Amino acid sequence: VFLVCILDTADISPEIEVDFVAPRANTISHEPARRLHIAGELLRGAMMSLCGIPPEDVSYTPLGKPYTPSRPDVAYSISHSGTLAACALLTLDGDHIIEQPLSVGVDIQRADGSGSAKDNASIMRFANRFYSDAEIAEISAVGDKKSAFYRIWTMKEALLKYTGEGLSRPLKSADTKSESFGVRYVTHDVFDSSGMKYALAVCFPAYVNEYPSLYRITPNDSKFYRAQDVKDAIIALNTGN
């Protein structure tokens, strides 16, 4: 199984079952951030349920990377931006022999052209600070520098989630053009309910010969009230029902 599912906070009911959500949600005072956290937790809960993994079987490395101790054949990653949450799930069947826990990384970023990407000069200044020479060369060679900027940035973030290093690793050395990490990438442009464009990237082991199925999870009617609703929607999309 290799899935990437996206959930918009606009599709979540305000009456969502708070007892499902991790306690941290109740400590987030900013409502948009709280709803974004809930969206991520809904996706995580639904994905874990698909694999038969109870919530208590999820642990975290010292740098915050989630993993499932009892299922080294399962990996997941979560990312949030704007109003969208994304969750990647990768599982391996018995044909694969792994010598270390499986890993996957996903990142999503609102590609609104603000901040470091407001114009080409800003993009190149940022890239010269944080991108590798090969990544800088790619941006320099294309006309649409903003799209290249966001594509590479999400790939870098997905790589750092894959390795579990996060921002503890210097960004220049997280070179998405290097083959030394033994990974592959897939990137997409996605949109939220208002039409805002986002960049999405997934990083996964090079020995995995398939690409993830990408699903935008939307309710059949009204809004999502429970993690089970999200799980049912994912199953329906994945099976074509």
Side-chain angles (χ1 to χ4, degrees):
V1 176
F2 197 2
L3 305 175
V4 177
C5 295
I6 298 170
L7 181 59
D8 195 316
T9 57
D11 293 323
I12 299 173
S13 167
E15 294 81 29
I16 190 72
E17 292 182 5
V18 293
D19 59 347
F20 158 76
V21 181
R24 178 171 172 259
N26 295 323
T27 69
I28 302 174
S29 58
H30 186 55
E31 185 60 19
R34 179 179 177 275
R35 290 178 61 77
L36 195 57
H37 175 74
I38 289 173
E41 288 299 290
L42 282 169
L43 284 175
R44 183 186 66 81
M47 295 286 217
M48 294 299 95
S49 181
L50 281 173
C51 297
I53 300 173
E56 59 271 18
D57 194 35
V58 175
S59 297
Y60 296 87
T61 68
L63 292 176
K65 179 177 175 61
Y67 68 99
T68 52
S70 68
R71 293 287 303 276
D73 61 323
V74 174
Y76 78 95
S77 179
I78 295 177
S79 182
H80 319 77
S81 181
T83 66
L84 296 185
C87 183
L89 174 71
L90 173 61
T91 68
L92 294 182
D93 57 31
D95 293 335
H96 293 87
I97 299 175
I98 56 175
E99 298 179 354
Q100 58 185 5
L102 187 63
S103 189
V104 69
V106 67
D107 188 63
I108 189 168
Q109 296 288 337
R110 186 167 60 181
D112 58 359
S114 63
S116 301
K118 64 182 180 181
D119 54 41
N120 286 349
S122 299
I123 287 171
M124 294 313 301
R125 279 196 299 270
F126 187 92
N128 284 324
R129 288 184 63 193
F130 299 113
Y131 285 26
S132 71
D133 291 344
E135 292 167 338
I136 293 169
E138 179 174 324
I139 295 176
S140 299
V142 298
D144 186 359
K145 298 188 189 313
K146 183 170 73 172
S147 293
F149 169 86
Y150 283 114
R151 182 178 65 255
I152 295 173
W153 181 254
T154 53
M155 289 168 65
K156 289 172 88 70
E157 292 267 9
L159 172 62
L160 293 171
K161 290 182 178 182
Y162 173 90
T163 64
E165 296 167 292
L167 295 179
S168 68
R169 182 188 186 100
L171 286 170
K172 267 190 176 290
S173 70
D175 184 0
T176 60
K177 305 307 172 186
S178 171
E179 297 181 357
S180 63
F181 294 102
V183 298
R184 301 167 68 195
Y185 303 91
V186 62
T187 61
H188 293 278
D189 290 334
V190 295
F191 298 86
D192 67 13
S193 58
S194 72
M196 175 63 70
K197 181 180 175 180
Y198 292 68
L200 173 82
V202 185
C203 178
F204 54 99
Y207 60 78
V208 174
N209 295 321
E210 62 179 303
Y211 288 104
S213 298
L214 176 65
Y215 297 127
R216 170 72 179 272
I217 308 302
T218 55
N220 289 329
D221 52 8
S222 188
K223 297 179 183 291
F224 289 121
Y225 283 82
R226 302 169 303 142
Q228 184 63 45
D229 299 335
V230 180
K231 177 184 175 183
D232 291 344
I234 294 172
I235 292 173
L237 286 169
N238 197 40
T239 59
N241 294 332

